Structures are given as structure tokens and as C-alpha cells.
């Protein structure tokens, strides 16, 4: 043994000396041939013991010598074919792990980039990958006992994954396409597939192999963000192989079980996203969720409750995985309870993004579709309790989308839990999201085939909301009248009679409309005749605008009556008529009525609806006052119909009452079409220039604005703006922003802007998203209404603080709309700054 060892060392020492000093071509070739004999595959191979000694002890040293001496002068002695036969073969035929480590170390340690030796090593590494040497490397490691050399394992894992990074850092623009991450990692995935195929063949031949190194490699690839490239190659092959082969299933189970916990999340997340269905996921993971705590946490908590950017297929795969095996069905029930608990948590509904709540709602509906009838009966009471807690907090929310989510989930859960009893029914607008949510109650065909026909039929019939039976059923035969020949009904037929033309008839009014304002007040207060009240409301607005002197004497009393007036008789257009009358009396006697409304807004014994009506009236009156007046001094109803409000009111009215106001007149539509298709070579002004006139809102803007801020922080017995009345607070802030917009070009706009910024600064971190959206609208209104010069001179400190706050919102606010509004405000600030800076630099 000693003689063999000394012989190998002497031969290697002589070859290194020859290659280092000789420039004779024949001597160099003979030295390389001598070394190549230790790798086998030649005509005169050395004994086996010498080959083993060379591979274990001297191979890596000799490769390090070659990599360090790869220069142009030395390689010019060999032709291209001789380089491939004697030099490149040494890297491509020996132990793959040693050759790979030596090549990569030589590339990393290269001092000059690029250089001849660096390019040569990168070319050899490219051949190493293309000739499938990575497969041999992985297979060699898998044939050794698990974790036989931890230091070598860690080194190989790090080097294999970092190949694209090292080559990109060294080669830069000369980098080769095979080393790009999008090309390298799929190639690595194919190598893993072929190694797993070798392991399967070895296990069938009753040979021992280990997949631990492949497990560690897969985990580290996924944790570094390249899992999609590898799993896109690996998962289809594994999903196909595990369908009918138990050995492949055992290989996959061991593959994921041996992944360390610190890397397990990335692998499981990638598998859940890549698998074609829950059946494939069940074959790949087995009962990993029951055996491994980390996998249990990822599948039951991370993918369902903490992350929400995944596609709906991830929910189908995860929840279907729990339902595929009877041993995992308790996890499905526990997950459903956790989902309903999170869905019904008032704090989560208030602070979490809407997208996350939609994601959780989808998971709940998919879980319901997987439940069996006996499981529903067993856990019925617990599910009902969780649902009823969540419905209330959803219906109390200010966001319509969240309220609709609560309605849909509550309806579906109630119909699934108690299909034959009383069920929750809501009215909501159906859109694409609603249809998608309702469709989740039906299992996909690929999953329903796995369920027994009886269970599948139960799920499909009990999860869908019951369809109301038709009430207009035909009467039975015994209740139908008998027809006889020559009956009186045929003789008395009136088919031949000509009907009267009643198109010009008018409905007779039973009650006469009042002639004076005081009579209108008396009718609204004391009358119980619906026709008289309707007639009074119909003519009240025009009467107020025509009799301004009489109205000013009773304006406060009339406003009080209109605020407290209720629609007892379901009068058509009641809310619209009452609102127009209140706006008219506010415009006629602006100061007194505005003072009354702003004071009563904070008074006790008013409902939320009445306070919202006060805010709407103030906004509409301010809008009318801010617009140019008609020649008579007051805006007539005809003028008002031509200038519809440009703001969105919370106050809802009958749908029919708005149909006529929202529909464009046919003549205007035709004129627009003609104008768009008419070609003119020149044209003068289409309309006369507007006549400049003072704004009526200029002198009364303060009466609208400042009293509304006065008592916002004082809780009352019936409402608390800083407490639970978030919607009313958001509506108040929105009203102040609109009033600020109407105060543009007024003398008091600067003072209003300062006060408004101070007011919203105390509310800027409010928990309700609607309030935050209204606050951001206030910032926009100040930036647009206050002159730019005054913004930087009088409000510079406020703007600096607002800018930092807006920057924080764009990064940390959970609501997407708030982030968007904050970004728009930052852009608006930047545009104002750019607009002012050139003006300040202009020479006088």
C-alpha cells in the first residue's frame, strides 16, 4: 500500500514539474496522458487501488494546479482537439464534486475580470453542466450515507445555488446564457428529476439511497427565491409519477419530510401553487401536516390567514388536501373555525385590507363545500355562533364591499348549516366578485369525482342557496271553471267594442296646494292627508324662492319642520322634494338657517340620518351659492335642473326620482352627435364670455365651515364622533373638504385651509379607513383651493409635516385606496412646488 501510494505521488509530482517548466509539446501531452490513466477508460489503466488513491487524495490538488496555470502560452502548445481530449477530460471524467468545487473556486478567486484563465474555467464549467455532470454530482452524494460529511454538504449546497451570482459578478457583460438564473435553475431542476429517477431504480433493485441532500438543496433553492423555476420542472414529473407508483410516493414523502424547518415554508408554498390539484398535493405531501409542526402552521395559518396574494387555486389545493384523507378532515373543520373567527373579528375587519377579507371569505366558502352532512350536524352550533358574530361587524362597516362580503358569506353559511330551516337573506348588487364567491360553493369537477356519489350529491344540493319556488302556480283542475257551449261569457264578450282614447286625461288632484308659506308649514305639521302633503312638497321649493321676504320670517321654523318630517305615506320622490325645499330655504336665508343647522348637528335627540341630511343640505346650498347667480338673483328650479350637483351625497332617494335627472335630454344628445361629426374650417366663439360677478358664498363661507369643527370632540348622549360613529365622522370630514373646494378664490380660503389642516391632523391615524380617505380628500381640497403662494408662505410647516405623513401612508397604510390617495397628494404637492419655483427665480 505504501509503495502504491508513493508511486502515485511520484508520478503526480513529476507530471506537475513537467507541466510547470516544460514548453515541449510532446512532454506536456505525455504528462497529461499519464495523469489521465488514473481516471480509467484508457488502454493501459493503472491498478484499482492507485485509481482510488488518486481520486480521494490527489485529484483535487492536481485540478487546482491546472486551474491556477491555465494561461495562453501554455495552452497554445496544444491543439483544440488535444485540449478537449487531455485537459478538459480531466474535469469531465473524474469525481464530479471535486471538479465542480475546483472550477468554481478558480472562478471566484480570479483577480482580473475578464482574463484568459477565467474565461477558460467558465467554458469548462459550461461543458460540465451540458454534459450532465451535475446529475453525477448529485447522484454521488445520494449514494453516500446521509450527512456523512456535513462540511462537504454545506459547501456543495452553497456553491451549487450561487453559480449564477458568482458568474455574473465575474463575467459581467461577457456572462454566458447558461449561467442566467432563468436558464440555470430549470437545468438544475432537470438534474434533480433524473437523480430521483436513479433513486427510484435503485430502490426497486433493493439498494440503499438517500434523498436528504436533494431535500436540503430543494429547500435552499426555494428560500432564496428560485423555487418557481425548479418546481415548474419537478412538480409535473412528480405529480404524474406518484399517481400509480407507491415507491414514488414514498420518495416524495421523504423528500419533503427531510427538508429542514427553516426552509420548509418555501417548498410547501411552491408546491401548493404548482400542483394541478389537491389530489396531486396529497400524493406529494402525504400526512406531513399532521406530522410536522412547521408544515401544520404553514398550511393551516400562513397560506390561509396571513397571506392573501395567492390565487384561488391555492385555496382549492390547500383545503382540498385536508379533505382528501379522513385522518386530515379534523384539520379542515379546525381551519374553518379559525377562518370564521378571523372573518368575524371586529378588529380584523376594521384594520385588515379588503383584499385579505375577500381571500378569507373565499376560503370559508371552499371549506363549506368540502364539509359532509354529518360534520355539519356535529359542529352546527359552533359554526352558527361564529357566523352571527361576524355578520354584525360586517354590516356595521362603512365600506360597501365589506358589507356585501358579510351578506354573501352569511347567506351561504346559513344555507349550508340549515338547508331546511330559516335562512339569512340579503339584498345586494351582483357583480363578477359576487358570482365568483357563489361559484366556490360547487366543487371543481376534478375534486368532486374523488368524493362518493352520495356525498357529492349532498354537497351540491345543500351548499347552494335555495331557490324560491314560484308562487304563480297554475290552479288545479278542480278549481278551474268549466266551459260549456253557448255560455253567457261568450255571448257577453266585449272584444268588438272600440276603447276610448285616454292618453290626454290628467289625474284629478283631490287636495288643493297651499298658497302661502305659513299654510305649507301648517299642512306639513298637522295634515294627515297624503295627497295634501305631496302637493305641498311639490310646490314648496318654488314658493320659497319666489317669496323670499315671507320665508325669512319663518325660515328657522320651516327648516325645523322639514328636518323632522317623515315619509309616513311613501310619497314618490319624498326625500328629493324635502331636500330641495331645505336647500331653497338655506339659500334664501343663508346666515340664520346655516347657524341653525350647524348648531343642531351637534344637538341631542337626532338620528344619524337626520345629521347626514343636515350635511347634505349644507353642501348643496354652498354649491348653489358658489355658482354664478341667475339674473333674478336666485337660482330657479329650471336652472338647478341644468346644473346637477357635482358631489356624491350619502342621502339616498328613490331610484325613479333620479332617473329623469340622470338621463340626458334627447335634443342634447343629437346636438352632441352633430357637433362631433361636423367639420368647420373656422368658427367664432360658441357662446358669449361669462360675466364676472362676486361669489355669494364669499361672505357666508365661514358660517358653513367653522361651526362644524367646533364641537366634534364632545361626546353626546346619542352619538360620539370619536367613538363608534365612524361613518358620521367620515361624512363630516368629507363635507368640510367639499366646503373647502367651494371656497376657492374667496378671501377666507387661507384661514379655512389652516383650520382644516389643524383639524385633520388630530385624526390622521384614525382606525377607520373611510375616515382616513376623507382626511386625504381634505388635504387635496386644501392644496387645490388655497393659492399656491400662500401655501408655501403661510402653511410651510404644516405642509412639511403633511408630506412626511403622506410618505408614511404610501408605505404602511393597509388600505389600497388610502395609499393611492396619499400618493396623489404627494404628486400634487410636487407639482405645486415645481410651479412656484420657476416663478420665484424669474428676474424682476
Amino acid at each position: 500500500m505504501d509503495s502504491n501510494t508513493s508511486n502515485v505521488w511520484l508520478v503526480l509530482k513529476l507530471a506537475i514539474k513537467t507541466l510547470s517548466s516544460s514548453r515541449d509539446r510532446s512532454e506536456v501531452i505525455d504528462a497529461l496522458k499519464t495523469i489521465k490513466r488514473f481516471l480509467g477508460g484508457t488502454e493501459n489503466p493503472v491498478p484499482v487501488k492507485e485509481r482510488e488513491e488518486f481520486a480521494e487524495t490527489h485529484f483535487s490538488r492536481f485540478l487546482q494546479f491546472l486551474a491556477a496555470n491555465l494561461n495562453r502560452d501554455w495552452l497554445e502548445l496544444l491543439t483544440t482537439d488535444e485540449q478537449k481530449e487531455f485537459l478538459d477530460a480531466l474535469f469531465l471524467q473524474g469525481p464530479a464534486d471535486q471538479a465542480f468545487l475546483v472550477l468554481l473556486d478558480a472562478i471566484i478567486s480570479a483577480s482580473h475580470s475578464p482574463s484568459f484563465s477565467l474565461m477558460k474555467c467558465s467554458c469548462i464549467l459550461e461543458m460540465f453542466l451540458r454534459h450532465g455532470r451535475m446529475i453525477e454530482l448529485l447522484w454521488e452524494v445520494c449514494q453516500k450515507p446521509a450527512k456523512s460529511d456535513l462540511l462537504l454538504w454545506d459547501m456543495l449546497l452553497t456553491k451549487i445555488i450561487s453559480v449564477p451570482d458568482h458568474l455574473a459578478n465575474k463575467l459581467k457583460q461577457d456572462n454566458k446564457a447558461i449561467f442566467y438564473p432563468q436558464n440555470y435553475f430549470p437545468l438544475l431542476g432537470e438534474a434533480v428529476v433524473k437523480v430521483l429517477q436513479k433513486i427510484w431504480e435503485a430502490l426497486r433493485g433493493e439498494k440503499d439511497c438517500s434523498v436528504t441532500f436533494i431535500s436540503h438543496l430543494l429547500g435552499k433553492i426555494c428560500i432564496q427565491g428560485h423555487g418557481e423555476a425548479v418546481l415548474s420542472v419537478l412538480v409535473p414529473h412528480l405529480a404524474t409519477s406518484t399517481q400509480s407508483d407507491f415507491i414514488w410516493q414514498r420518495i416524495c414523502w421523504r423528500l419533503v419530510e427531510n427538508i429542514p424547518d427553516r426552509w420548509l415554508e418555501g417548498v410547501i408554498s411552491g408546491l401548493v401553487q404548482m400542483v394541478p390539484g389537491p389530489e396531486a398535493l396529497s400524493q406529494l405531501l402525504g400526512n406531513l401536516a399532521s406530522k410536522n409542526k412547521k408544515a401544520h402552521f404553514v398550511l393551516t395559518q400562513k397560506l390561509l390567514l396571513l397571506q392573501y396574494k395567492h390565487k384561488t387555486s391555492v385555496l382549492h389545493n390547500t383545503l382540498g388536501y385536508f379533505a382528501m384523507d379522513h385522518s386530515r378532515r379534523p384539520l379542515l373543520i379546525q381551519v374553518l373555525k379559525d377562518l370564521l373567527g378571523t372573518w368575524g373579528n371586529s378588529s380584523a375587519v376594521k384594520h385588515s385590507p379588503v383584499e385579505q377579507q375577500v381571500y378569507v371569505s373565499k376560503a370559508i366558502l371552499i371549506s363549506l363545500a368540502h364539509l359532509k352532512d354529518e360534520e355539519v350536524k356535529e359542529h352546527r352550533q359552533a359554526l352558527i355562533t361564529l357566523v352571527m358574530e361576524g355578520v354584525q361587524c360586517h354590516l356595521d362597516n362603512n365600506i360597501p364591499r365589506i358589507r356585501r362580503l358579510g351578506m354573501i358569506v352569511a347567506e351561504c353559511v346559513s344555507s349550508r348549516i340549515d338547508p331546511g330551516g330559516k335562512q339569512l337573506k340579503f339584498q345586494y348588487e351582483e357583480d363578477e366578485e359576487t358570482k365568483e364567491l357563489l361559484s366556490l360553493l360547487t366543487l371543481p369537477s376534478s375534486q368532486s369525482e374523488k368524493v362518493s356519489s352520495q356525498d357529492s350529491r349532498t354537497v351540491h344540493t345543500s351548499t347552494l342557496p335555495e331557490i324560491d319556488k314560484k308562487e304563480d302556480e297554475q290552479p288545479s283542475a278542480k278549481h278551474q271553471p268549466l266551459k260549456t257551449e253557448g255560455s253567457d261569457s261568450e255571448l257577453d264578450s266585449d272584444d268588438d267594442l272600440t276603447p276610448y282614447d285616454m292618453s290626454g286625461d290628467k289625474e284629478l288632484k283631490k287636495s288643493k296646494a297651499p298658497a302661502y308659506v305659513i299654510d305649507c308649514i301648517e299642512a306639513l305639521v298637522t295634515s294627515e292627508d297624503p295627497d295634501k302633503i305631496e302637493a305641498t312638497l311639490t310646490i314648496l321649493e318654488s314658493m320659497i324662492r319666489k317669496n323670499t321676504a315671507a320665508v325669512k320670517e319663518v325660515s328657522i321654523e320651516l327648516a325645523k319642520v322639514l328636518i323632522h318630517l317623515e315619509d309616513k305615506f311613501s310619497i314618490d320622490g319624498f326625500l328629493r322634494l324635502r331636500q330641495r325645499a331645505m336647500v331653497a330655504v338655506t339659500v334664501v336665508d343663508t346666515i340664520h338657517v346655516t347657524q341653525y343647522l350647524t348648531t343642531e348637528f351637534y344637538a341631542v335627540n337626532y338620528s344619524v340620518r337626520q345629521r347626514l341630511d343636515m350635511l347634505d343640505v349644507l353642501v348643496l346650498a354652498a354649491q348653489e351659492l358658489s355658482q354664478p347667480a341667475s339674473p333674478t338673483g336666485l337660482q330657479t328650479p329650471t336652472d338647478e335642473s341644468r346644473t346637477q350637483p357635482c358631489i356624491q351625497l350619502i342621502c339616498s332617494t328613490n331610484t325613479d326620482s333620479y332617473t329623469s335627472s340622470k338621463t340626458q335630454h334627447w335634443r342634447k344628445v343629437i346636438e352632441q352627435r352633430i357637433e362631433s361629426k361636423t367639420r368647420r374650417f373656422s368658427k367664432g366663439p360658441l357662446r358669449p364670455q361669462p360675466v364676472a360677478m362676486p361669489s355669494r358664498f364669499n361672505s357666508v363661507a365661514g358660517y358653513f365651515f367653522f361651526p362644524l369643527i367646533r364641537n366634534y370632540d364632545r361626546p353626546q348622549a346619542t352619538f360620539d364622533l370619536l367613538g363608534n360613529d365612524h361613518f358620521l365622522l367620515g361624512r363630516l370630514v368629507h363635507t368640510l373638504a367639499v366646503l373647502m373646494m367651494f371656497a376657492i378664490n374667496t378671501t377666507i380660503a387661507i384661514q379655512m385651509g389652516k383650520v382644516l389642516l389643524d383639524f385633520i391632523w388630530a385624526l390622521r391615524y384614525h382606525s377607520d379607513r373611510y375616515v382616513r380617505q376623507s382626511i386625504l380628500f381634505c388635504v387635496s381640497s386644501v392644496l387645490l383651493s388655497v393659492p399656491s403662494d400662500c401655501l408655501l408662505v403661510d402653511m410651510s410647516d404644516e405642509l412639511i409635516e403633511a408630506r412626511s405623513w403622506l410618505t408614511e401612508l404610501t408605505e404602511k397604510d393597509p388600505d389600497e385606496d388610502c395609499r393611492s390617495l396619499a400618493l396623489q397628494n404627494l404628486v400634487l404637492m410636487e407639482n405645486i412646488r415645481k410651479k412656484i419655483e420657476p416663478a420665484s427665480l424669474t428676474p424682476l
Side-chain angles (χ1 to χ4, degrees):
M1 184 68 180
D2 294 339
S3 61
N4 292 336
T5 304
S6 61
N7 184 34
V8 174
W9 170 244
L10 291 175
V11 172
L12 180 64
K13 186 176 180 180
L14 180 61
I16 292 176
K17 182 177 180 181
T18 302
L19 294 174
S20 302
S21 58
S22 177
R23 290 295 178 266
D24 187 356
R25 177 174 174 275
S26 60
E27 292 181 357
V28 170
I29 294 176
D30 291 339
L32 292 175
K33 284 183 178 180
T34 302
I35 299 299
K36 188 178 178 181
R37 291 175 61 241
F38 289 100
L39 299 178
T42 59
E43 296 179 357
N44 300 315
V46 298
V48 176
K49 292 183 179 180
E50 293 185 8
R51 291 205 305 268
E52 292 178 353
E53 177 68 21
F54 177 79
E56 294 177 0
T57 307
H58 307 293
F59 180 67
S60 61
R61 294 182 181 178
F62 184 72
L63 291 185
Q64 290 173 358
F65 163 76
L66 287 180
N69 292 273
L70 287 175
N71 53 68
R72 190 183 300 274
D73 297 335
W74 186 73
L75 290 178
E76 285 180 351
L77 300 175
L78 305 176
T79 63
T80 304
D81 295 336
E82 291 173 343
Q83 291 182 19
K84 293 180 180 180
E85 181 180 359
F86 302 115
L87 180 62
D88 299 347
L90 293 174
F91 290 92
L92 301 179
Q93 294 179 6
D97 54 349
Q98 298 183 40
F100 174 77
L101 292 176
V102 170
L103 283 174
L104 197 59
D105 287 338
I107 293 173
I108 296 173
S109 60
S111 57
H112 300 287
S113 178
S115 62
F116 180 81
S117 60
L118 175 62
M119 298 303 296
K120 182 61 179 178
C121 289
S122 64
C123 291
I124 297 176
L125 182 59
E126 181 181 5
M127 288 188 290
F128 183 93
L129 296 175
R130 295 191 184 278
H131 285 72
R133 293 285 285 166
M134 183 62 71
I135 302 173
E136 298 179 15
L137 188 156
L138 299 178
W139 175 238
E140 289 175 2
V141 179
C142 291
Q143 287 179 302
K144 298 177 182 179
K147 300 183 180 179
S148 58
D149 191 348
L150 292 179
L151 182 61
L152 178 62
W153 272 35
D154 293 339
M155 187 181 302
L156 283 174
L157 286 174
T158 304
K159 299 294 185 181
I160 290 174
I161 297 174
S162 60
V163 165
D165 297 332
H166 289 308
L167 269 296
N169 290 336
K170 290 297 181 179
L171 298 180
K172 296 182 174 58
Q173 66 272 15
D174 297 326
N175 195 10
K176 301 179 182 297
I178 194 174
F179 300 128
Y180 293 165
Q182 61 270 26
N183 298 327
Y184 174 77
F185 286 104
L187 184 66
L188 188 59
E190 294 176 0
V192 171
V193 170
K194 293 180 180 179
V195 171
L196 292 177
Q197 182 70 30
K198 288 177 174 289
I199 294 175
W200 175 79
E201 294 173 356
L203 292 178
R204 290 195 64 183
E206 299 182 356
K207 297 180 181 179
D208 292 337
C209 290
S210 173
V211 295
T212 306
F213 183 78
I214 303 297
S215 300
H216 287 220
L217 178 64
L218 187 61
K220 198 159 188 177
I221 290 174
C222 292
I223 203 65
Q224 292 194 1
H226 303 291
E228 182 179 357
V230 175
L231 293 177
S232 62
V233 178
L234 183 62
V235 169
H237 181 271
L238 295 181
T240 304
S241 301
T242 54
Q243 288 181 357
S244 58
D245 195 315
F246 184 72
I247 298 179
W248 269 111
Q249 292 183 9
R250 292 296 301 272
I251 292 175
C252 292
W253 296 350
R254 285 298 178 89
L255 186 66
V256 293
E257 288 175 2
N258 292 334
I259 298 174
D261 288 348
R262 63 183 182 274
W263 299 333
L264 188 59
E265 179 184 344
V267 178
I268 292 180
S269 300
L271 289 175
V272 172
Q273 296 178 55
M274 291 291 178
V275 291
E279 302 87 1
L281 185 63
S282 179
Q283 294 167 0
L284 294 179
L285 297 183
N287 288 327
L288 185 66
S290 304
K291 299 177 181 178
N292 190 289
K293 292 183 179 179
K294 181 68 175 181
H296 181 275
F297 171 76
V298 172
L299 289 170
T300 60
Q301 300 290 325
K302 202 70 176 288
L303 292 177
L304 300 178
L305 296 174
L306 302 180
Q307 299 175 353
Y308 59 93
K309 297 295 185 182
H310 299 299
K311 298 179 180 179
T312 309
S313 59
V314 173
L315 296 176
H316 280 295
N317 293 336
T318 305
L319 297 170
Y321 164 75
F322 294 139
M324 280 294 145
D325 190 84
H326 65 89
S327 62
R328 297 193 294 266
R329 292 197 70 87
L331 293 178
L332 175 66
I333 298 172
Q334 184 59 43
V335 162
L336 177 58
K337 292 181 179 179
D338 294 341
L339 289 169
L340 286 173
T342 303
W343 178 79
N345 188 297
S346 59
S347 178
V349 173
K350 184 183 300 182
H351 297 289
S352 59
V354 181
E355 293 78 10
Q356 185 174 8
Q357 300 184 44
V358 174
Y359 187 80
V360 172
S361 300
K362 291 180 179 179
I364 292 173
L365 298 180
I366 295 174
S367 301
L368 287 173
H370 284 287
L371 286 184
K372 298 180 180 179
D373 288 344
E374 53 269 20
E375 294 172 339
V376 172
K377 292 178 181 178
E378 182 181 357
H379 302 278
R380 176 181 176 183
Q381 190 58 43
L383 296 177
I384 291 177
T385 303
L386 292 171
V387 170
M388 297 310 297
E389 292 176 357
V391 171
Q392 186 62 38
C393 62
H394 276 79
L395 296 181
D396 292 341
N397 198 275
N398 301 330
I399 309 300
R401 189 180 178 187
I402 295 180
R403 290 199 299 270
R404 187 168 67 248
L405 282 177
M407 297 175 189
I408 296 172
V409 174
E411 278 189 1
C412 297
V413 174
S414 64
S415 64
R416 182 69 179 91
I417 294 176
D418 191 10
K422 294 182 179 180
Q423 301 176 11
L424 296 175
K425 293 292 182 181
F426 299 96
Q427 293 182 354
Y428 48 82
E429 181 183 357
E430 291 191 3
D431 53 6
E432 294 298 328
E433 183 177 88
T434 303
K435 295 178 181 178
E436 181 184 4
L437 290 172
L438 293 176
S439 66
L440 296 177
L441 290 169
T442 305
L443 290 176
S445 58
S446 59
Q447 299 183 36
S448 60
E449 292 175 358
K450 299 295 180 180
V451 186
S452 62
S453 59
Q454 182 178 359
D455 293 338
S456 177
R457 188 162 53 250
T458 303
V459 169
H460 284 292
T461 56
S462 59
T463 53
L464 291 176
E466 290 187 348
I467 302 175
D468 297 335
K469 295 182 178 180
K470 296 182 179 180
E471 299 179 356
D472 302 333
E473 295 182 353
Q474 294 182 354
S476 58
K478 64 181 180 180
H479 295 292
Q480 293 180 355
L482 297 176
K483 296 183 179 180
T484 59
E485 296 181 0
S487 61
D488 295 338
S489 60
E490 293 181 357
L491 296 176
D492 296 339
S493 175
D494 55 357
D495 293 341
D496 297 334
L497 299 179
T498 303
Y500 288 103
D501 183 12
M502 302 178 65
S503 59
D505 291 0
K506 295 182 179 179
E507 182 181 358
L508 296 177
K509 296 292 184 180
K510 298 180 180 179
S511 299
K512 186 178 180 181
Y516 300 97
V517 177
I518 193 66
D519 295 336
C520 293
I521 296 176
E522 182 179 358
L524 295 176
V525 173
T526 61
S527 178
E528 294 294 333
D529 183 6
D531 294 331
K532 187 173 183 179
I533 294 178
E534 182 178 3
T536 303
L537 288 174
T538 303
I539 58 98
L540 183 57
E541 180 190 7
S542 59
M543 186 179 296
I544 291 173
R545 296 182 183 276
K546 293 177 181 178
N547 303 284
T548 58
V551 170
K552 289 182 180 180
E553 297 178 1
V554 293
S555 58
I556 301 298
E557 182 180 357
L558 179 57
K560 183 177 181 180
V561 170
L562 291 172
I563 289 175
H564 291 87
L565 188 62
E566 297 180 358
D567 188 12
K568 299 179 181 179
F569 309 105
S570 298
I571 299 174
D572 186 22
F574 171 83
L575 296 176
R576 175 176 56 85
L577 294 173
R578 188 188 65 156
Q579 186 183 78
R580 287 185 175 183
M582 293 176 67
V583 172
V585 72
T586 306
V587 172
V588 169
D589 193 6
T590 304
I591 295 178
H592 294 93
V593 177
T594 302
Q595 289 177 340
Y596 171 76
L597 292 176
T598 53
T599 303
E600 292 300 306
F601 177 79
Y602 289 103
V604 296
N605 298 330
Y606 281 101
S607 65
V608 174
R609 178 57 183 269
Q610 288 173 321
R611 300 182 199 277
L612 293 176
D613 289 341
M614 295 178 192
L615 295 178
D616 290 343
V617 169
L618 290 173
V619 167
L620 291 174
Q623 182 187 25
E624 183 174 339
L625 292 172
S626 64
Q627 294 175 350
S630 60
T632 58
L634 288 174
Q635 192 175 19
T636 63
T638 305
D639 296 329
E640 184 183 6
S641 64
R642 288 197 299 266
T643 57
Q644 291 298 324
C646 60
I647 58 174
Q648 183 179 4
L649 301 178
I650 300 299
C651 178
S652 60
T653 60
N654 295 333
T655 306
D656 296 339
S657 63
Y658 274 112
T659 303
S660 60
S661 61
K662 289 185 176 181
T663 304
Q664 279 189 318
H665 194 268
W666 63 270
R667 190 183 301 276
K668 186 176 182 181
V669 173
I670 293 177
E671 290 177 355
Q672 290 177 351
R673 291 178 180 175
I674 295 175
E675 181 67 24
S676 63
K677 297 181 179 180
T678 302
R679 181 182 180 186
R680 294 185 174 89
F681 296 99
S682 64
K683 57 181 180 179
L686 298 179
R687 62 185 65 183
Q689 294 294 329
V691 180
M693 59 181 63
S695 173
R696 293 177 294 163
F697 190 62
N698 181 31
S699 58
V700 295
Y703 294 99
F704 284 80
F705 185 82
F706 295 109
L708 288 177
I709 307 180
R710 184 171 50 195
N711 298 322
Y712 78 95
D713 55 348
R714 298 180 185 178
Q716 302 292 339
T718 55
F719 77 108
D720 183 8
L721 289 178
L722 298 182
N724 296 326
D725 293 318
H726 298 158
F727 180 73
L728 190 59
L729 175 62
R731 183 58 185 153
L732 172 63
V733 176
H734 181 270
T735 300
L736 293 172
V738 175
L739 294 176
M740 186 72 225
M741 292 293 294
F742 291 150
I744 189 171
N745 299 327
T746 60
T747 56
I748 202 173
I750 301 175
Q751 184 179 356
M752 290 173 61
K754 288 183 177 180
V755 174
L756 185 57
L757 288 180
D758 292 339
F759 167 69
I760 64 175
W761 195 249
L763 305 172
R764 66 188 186 280
Y765 292 115
H766 199 278
S767 59
D768 189 84
R769 70 191 74 196
Y770 176 65
V771 177
R772 296 199 304 274
Q773 292 174 8
S774 301
I775 292 172
L776 291 170
F777 180 46
C778 283
V779 177
S780 301
S781 65
V782 172
L783 295 176
L784 294 174
S785 302
V786 179
S788 303
D789 298 337
C790 299
L791 281 174
L792 297 184
V793 175
D794 299 332
M795 304 182 193
S796 58
D797 296 337
E798 290 86 347
L799 290 181
I800 293 174
E801 293 177 348
R803 184 181 181 86
S804 61
W805 165 62
L806 292 172
T807 305
E808 180 182 0
L809 282 186
T810 57
E811 301 174 353
K812 300 181 179 180
D813 197 285
D815 185 62
E816 183 178 358
D817 294 334
C818 290
R819 296 195 300 269
S820 177
L821 290 172
L823 183 61
Q824 292 177 13
N825 281 324
L826 288 174
V827 173
L828 186 58
M829 283 186 176
E830 184 65 19
N831 292 338
I832 293 174
R833 185 187 64 82
K834 292 179 180 179
K835 178 182 177 182
I836 294 178
E837 283 184 352
S840 61
L841 297 176
T842 303
L844 298 176

